[in-house]
């Protein structure tokens, strides 16, 4: 009897402990984070309209969006339900608690909308499935939290976990908004760091801060998307929570997606005269604290009517990028966008276009269709990049720009033409940990290499890249899907590196303190100052080392994460700006054109845009290829 009683007590205690952990686990995780990185209740300025004011806003929408007025179903819903104020997600959830969708296996789902949303890449900034990403150690980087949330990148010069919402005060006293959070739907004071931990459940205050309308509202005011500082002294990105915006809810349009993604495609400078509505965020930078416009396009492939036939035809993003609720397919081919909700769902030209796509009765139709065995559609149909496309960015040198009165990194090379800004590579859809497209020439053994290491670091000048390639990467390239020739946007960035955490393939980037960098233009100082951020100290601590960084560095072919270098990096010791050993290659799939597409002479001739030798062809084959016209 006594033994049975003890067992019951132990069993009950275990159950109580598990229940306690279940209800407090997320709070415990956040308690471990530095105080300035924890989620909190966000103050929102909710404005209650009168019925007359409501009707006035409805009339404004009909006037401003005549082609969409019939789609604004929420006007009638709000009127009938007496909803005259938008209070964030809680307003949406009154009707949309559940979400229905059909998955890629044609199975119907009816699930909790908020669970679906908070597990998506658009909220988390990462995913764990990366079936096509390989480390330089030859191991697949799968089942590992990775994305913009925790992945350093030599394009923005900062980390999402430190540069989330920054106020930049110029020497002239102007106040600007900057930081990774501007393209995030979360709305908290910090990136959703807790989501990386196992069994984490999104807190109620995190859910209520989500910006539903930036994706769903046609009348979203991007001038509200600027950094604000609350009474608690913490900064965050503001959002448009007006009832007018909520009344204009529709399915996300291309224009809505481009509020964030135009930064990637066409950059922060270019506005298409034929479709200025595609660049709404570039024309509405913020009322009091404008967002900083960054020169130098990331991919140079604007999704606007002048640059893309699909944009000109009015095709929305969701017509190609299939969704399962808030999960969105990015396709199975990627080099740099590691977060992918549906990594096994393809996004292909042939989803819409005939297979084969070219008219066999037209001139060269059959020959062009034959090319599809070894060439991707984009190879011919992305004939150039936007002129503001950057291929070499040096963060270690700055130049002062009179407008908006800040120091800017030095884009020392902007190439846009095929064979220059656009490189052509064999690719099977897989990539290395640092964005190199994996593939192999199916015709020849041992002639093609996607990792030439043109910018070798002095510490690794004797590293045998050729042997490593043959032993580690070529078998991976051959065992994958059949390779085709793809166009890639070439890029390399020079940024400060923690040399105590570096190897032959690169090292850990040291992020810059953006307010200091833009105001004073001193990259060395900005790199040291950013290390003072609480999350950088935590990143160099034992917890990050154990949970993430040792494995992260293993994919760089390093034995582990060296936490001892933290104080040196803070002091600027053993830190130096470096170029990546080999150029990154960014996948490009927008900016599709019919007029101006590459033709036979562009490839088969002495002035070919394709470097046949680099693609792994023998001289005899090259001679034959250059005469085929």
């Amino acid at each position: 009897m006594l033994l049975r009683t003890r067992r019951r007590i132990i069993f009950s205690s275990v159950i109580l402990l598990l229940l306690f952990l279940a209800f407090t686990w997320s709070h415990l995780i956040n308690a471990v984070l530095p105080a300035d990185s924890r989620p909190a209740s966000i103050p929102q300025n909710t404005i209650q309209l009168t019925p007359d004011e409501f009707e006035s806003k409805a009339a404004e929408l009909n006037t401003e969006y005549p082609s969409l007025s019939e789609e604004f179903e929420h006007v009638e819903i709000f009127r009938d339900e007496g909803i005259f104020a938008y209070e964030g997600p809680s307003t949406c959830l009154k009707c949309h608690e559940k979400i229905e969708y059909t998955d890629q296996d044609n199975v119907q789902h009816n699930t909790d909308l908020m669970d679906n949303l908070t597990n998506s890449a658009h909220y988390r900034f990462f995913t764990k499935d990366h079936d096509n990403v390989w480390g330089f150690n030859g191991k697949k980087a799968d089942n590992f939290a990775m994305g913009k949330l925790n992945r350093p990148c030599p394009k923005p010069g900062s980390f999402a976990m430190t540069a989330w919402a920054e106020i930049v005060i110029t020497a002239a006293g102007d106040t600007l908004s900057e930081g990774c959070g501007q393209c995030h739907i979360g709305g908290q004071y910090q990136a959703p760091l807790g989501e990386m931990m196992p069994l984490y459940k999104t807190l109620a205050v995190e859910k209520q801060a989500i910006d539903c309308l930036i994706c769903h509202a046609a009348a979203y005011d991007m001038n509200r998307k600027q950094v604000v500082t609350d009474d608690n002294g913490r900064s965050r990105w503001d959002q448009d929570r007006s009832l007018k915006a909520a009344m204009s809810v529709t399915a996300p349009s291309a224009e809505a997606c481009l509020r964030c993604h135009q930064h990637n495609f066409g950059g922060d400078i270019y506005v298409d005269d034929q479709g200025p509505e595609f660049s709404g965020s570039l024309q509405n930078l913020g009322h009091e604290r404008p967002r900083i416009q960054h020169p130098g396009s990331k991919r140079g492939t604007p999704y606007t009517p002048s640059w893309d036939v699909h944009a000109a035809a009015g095709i929305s993003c969701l017509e190609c990028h299939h969704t399962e609720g808030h999960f969105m397919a990015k396709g199975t081919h990627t080099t740099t966008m590691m977060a992918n909700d549906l990594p096994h769902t393809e996004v292909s030209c042939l989803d819409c276009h005939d297979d084969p796509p070219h008219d066999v009765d037209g001139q060269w139709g059959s020959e062009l269709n034959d090319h599809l065995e070894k060439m991707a559609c984009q190879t011919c149909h992305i004939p150039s990049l936007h002129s503001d496309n950057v291929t070499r960015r040096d963060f270690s040198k700055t130049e002062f720009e009179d407008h908006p009165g800040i120091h800017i990194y030095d884009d020392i090379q902007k190439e846009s033409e095929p064979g220059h800004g656009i490189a052509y590579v064999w690719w099977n859809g897989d990539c290395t940990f640092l964005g190199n497209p994996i593939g192999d020439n199916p015709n020849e053994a041992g002639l093609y290499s996607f990792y030439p290491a043109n910018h070798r670091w002095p510490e690794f000048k004797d590293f045998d890249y050729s042997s490593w390639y043959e032993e580690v990467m070529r078998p991976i390239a051959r065992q994958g899907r059949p390779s085709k020739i793809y166009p890639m946007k070439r890029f390399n960035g020079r940024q400060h590196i923690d040399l105590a955490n570096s190897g032959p393939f690169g090292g850990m980037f040291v992020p810059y303190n953006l307010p200091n960098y833009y105001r004073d233009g001193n990259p060395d100082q900005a790199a040291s100052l950013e290390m003072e951020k609480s999350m950088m100290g935590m990143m160099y601590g034992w917890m990050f080392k154990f949970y993430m960084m040792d494995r992260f560095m293993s994919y760089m072919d390093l034995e582990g994460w060296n936490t001892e270098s933290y104080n040196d990096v803070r002091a600027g010791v053993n830190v130096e700006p470096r170029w990546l050993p080999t150029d990154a290659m960014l996948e490009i799939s927008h900016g599709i054109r019919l007029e101006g597409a590459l033709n036979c002479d562009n490839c088969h001739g002495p002035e070919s845009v394709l470097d046949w030798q680099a693609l792994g062809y023998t001289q005899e084959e090259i001679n034959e290829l250059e005469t085929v016209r």
Side-chain angles (χ1 to χ4, degrees), residues 74-362:
H74 286 74
V75 173
E76 190 66 28
I77 294 172
F78 289 174
R79 183 185 289 123
D80 291 344
E81 297 295 328
I83 298 175
F84 296 133
Y86 178 71
E87 299 177 337
S90 60
T91 300
C92 305
L93 293 173
K94 290 178 181 178
C95 297
H96 301 289
E97 184 179 354
K98 296 289 185 178
I99 188 170
E100 295 182 1
Y101 64 85
T102 303
D103 67 19
Q104 56 192 328
D105 297 321
N106 206 33
V107 176
Q108 296 283 335
H109 293 263
N110 186 346
T111 188
D112 184 89
L113 182 146
M114 193 56 75
D115 285 347
N116 176 265
L117 174 60
T118 55
N119 281 286
S120 71
H122 277 88
Y123 175 74
R124 286 182 156 190
F125 257 33
F126 74 89
T127 55
K128 289 190 175 181
D129 295 331
H130 313 283
D131 192 50
N132 70 321
V133 183
W134 295 84
F136 294 102
N137 59 355
K139 304 294 185 182
K140 188 173 289 189
D142 200 14
N143 192 28
F144 180 63
M146 186 165 62
K148 287 184 179 294
L149 182 67
N150 61 348
R151 185 176 175 78
C153 171
K155 280 288 292 182
S158 58
F159 289 178
M161 67 176 65
T162 64
W164 190 249
E166 302 276 29
I167 294 285
V168 178
I169 301 177
T170 70
D174 296 322
T175 303
L176 307 174
S177 297
E178 175 63 322
C180 304
Q182 62 184 292
C183 285
H184 181 63
I185 65 173
Q188 270 290 338
Y189 297 111
Q190 174 60 293
L193 302 175
E195 300 285 345
M196 289 188 291
M197 300 300 289
L199 305 178
Y200 186 84
K201 295 293 184 181
T202 312
L203 300 180
V205 292
E206 294 177 289
K207 294 177 180 179
Q208 184 57 18
I210 289 173
D211 190 355
C212 306
L213 300 184
I214 193 170
C215 297
H216 288 281
Y220 191 94
D221 183 4
M222 283 301 293
N223 284 312
R224 293 288 303 274
K225 201 70 174 175
Q226 55 187 8
V227 176
V228 296
T229 302
D230 290 338
D231 292 340
N232 56 21
R234 300 180 68 182
S235 295
R236 61 178 173 85
W237 285 91
D238 199 8
Q239 51 188 269
D240 182 4
R241 289 199 167 194
S242 67
L243 187 64
K244 178 181 176 180
M247 293 159 66
S248 71
V249 163
T250 64
S253 63
E255 292 87 343
C257 297
L258 290 168
R259 289 168 184 157
C260 292
H261 289 285
Q262 173 66 5
H263 169 75
N264 175 25
F265 294 144
D268 288 352
I269 306 299
Y270 171 69
V271 177
D272 189 347
D273 291 338
Q274 294 187 30
E277 68 276 9
F278 285 80
S279 306
S281 63
L282 309 186
Q283 302 168 79
N284 302 280
L285 296 172
H287 290 300
E288 297 86 9
R289 295 164 295 281
R291 301 184 302 279
I292 291 176
Q293 290 182 287
H294 309 82
S297 176
K298 189 171 184 178
R299 276 176 171 75
T301 53
Y303 190 77
T304 63
S306 295
W307 275 85
D308 194 296
V309 293
H310 305 99
I315 295 175
S316 76
C317 305
L318 300 187
E319 292 184 60
C320 295
H321 294 274
H322 311 295
T323 61
E324 295 183 5
H326 291 93
F327 289 1
M328 186 169 296
K330 192 169 57 60
T332 65
H333 287 58
T334 186
T335 62
T336 57
M337 294 283 286
M338 300 303 178
N340 188 355
D341 289 320
L342 303 172
H344 304 294
T345 300
E346 188 58 88
V347 177
S348 169
C349 304
L350 298 180
D351 288 342
C352 295
H353 295 279
D354 292 336
D355 184 10
H358 301 100
D359 184 1
V360 295
D361 294 328

Side-chain angles (χ1 to χ4, degrees), residues 4 21 55 105 124 170 194 234 278 423 439 589 591 618-619 629:
R4 185 179 302 172
L21 290 175
E55 296 304 333
D105 297 321
R124 286 182 156 190
T170 70
R234 300 180 68 182
F278 285 80
S589 52
T618 65
Q619 188 58 53
R629 280 191 278 175

Side-chain angles (χ1 to χ4, degrees), residues 466-538:
S466 296
S467 294
W468 162 81
Y469 189 87
E470 294 301 326
E471 294 171 8
V472 178
M473 297 313 297
R474 197 180 299 280
I476 292 174
R478 288 179 177 169
Q479 76 183 24
R481 293 165 287 186
S483 298
K484 291 186 178 183
I485 295 176
Y486 277 81
M488 293 277 174
K489 178 261 174 69
R490 187 190 303 276
F491 176 77
N492 206 325
R494 188 169 185 250
Q495 185 168 342
H496 283 62
I497 299 289
D498 174 4
L499 297 180
N501 281 294
S502 64
F505 307 102
M508 178 55 64
F509 297 112
V510 179
Y512 299 108
N513 182 273
L514 298 182
N516 176 270
Y517 186 95
Y518 287 127
R519 183 184 64 247
D520 298 337
N522 186 333
D524 293 334
Q525 184 183 67
S528 294
L529 279 175
E530 192 69 352
M531 295 300 293
E532 301 289 342
K533 293 279 186 71
S534 58
M535 278 308 303
M536 290 308 301
M538 191 165 194

Side-chain angles (χ1 to χ4, degrees), residues 455-463 465 497-500 502-504 574-576 578:
H455 308 277
R456 297 188 182 210
W457 293 0
E459 299 91 338
F460 308 103
K461 60 183 176 63
D462 297 325
F463 184 82
Y465 287 97
I497 299 289
D498 174 4
L499 297 180
S502 64
N574 205 23
V575 174
E576 187 176 309
R578 298 279 181 90

